[in-house]
Amino acid sequence: MRAAGGVRRADGTGGRRWAAAVHADDGAELPAHIRFLADRIRPAIDHRLQGEARVDAAVTEHVRRVRARLAAEPDLAARISHGRLAVVGARYELTSRRVHEVS
């Protein structure tokens, strides 16, 4: 994907319903493919929050963490430092079909 000025751009996206699966996790055994995702999302959950606020914050924080991990990859970091790549985190809202950049 190309951003302004011809800089390549890599996007990490997160959807609210994605984190909802982790929010609703009551300790029951999850199928392997869901457990894989849940294990990666779980560190982003703020257990001080409840309901929609927890889900919303978890999605945003997970996107930030994925973006940071990608930006730290040596191959990508070199391109970022030379202005040839930008790694951008974003949220896709299923209901509105809108994408919101996460800073």
Side-chain angles (χ1 to χ4, degrees):
M1 173 181 290
R2 295 263 180 201
V7 174
R8 289 189 180 271
R9 178 174 153 164
D11 293 314
T13 59
R16 286 176 23 82
R17 297 193 191 272
W18 200 33
V22 174
H23 171 69
D25 181 15
D26 59 3
E29 186 66 25
L30 298 170
H33 66 289
I34 300 298
R35 187 174 53 247
F36 175 84
L37 294 173
D39 289 346
R40 275 132 195 92
I41 297 168
R42 196 170 282 114
I45 297 173
D46 183 343
H47 293 281
R48 296 170 298 172
L49 302 174
Q50 298 296 317
E52 289 294 316
R54 179 186 281 183
V55 173
D56 187 61
V59 171
T60 298
E61 181 59 22
H62 180 68
V63 170
R64 283 187 184 118
R65 289 170 181 242
V66 169
R67 187 217 159 276
R69 270 197 317 264
L70 287 170
E73 286 293 322
D75 290 342
L76 299 181
R79 291 179 179 156
I80 292 166
S81 69
H82 290 101
R84 296 188 328 223
L85 177 70
V87 179
V88 178
R91 293 180 51 149
Y92 174 71
E93 300 294 338
L94 293 172
T95 54
S96 68
R97 297 183 185 170
R98 293 199 158 170
V99 176
H100 306 278
E101 190 171 325
V102 174
S103 57

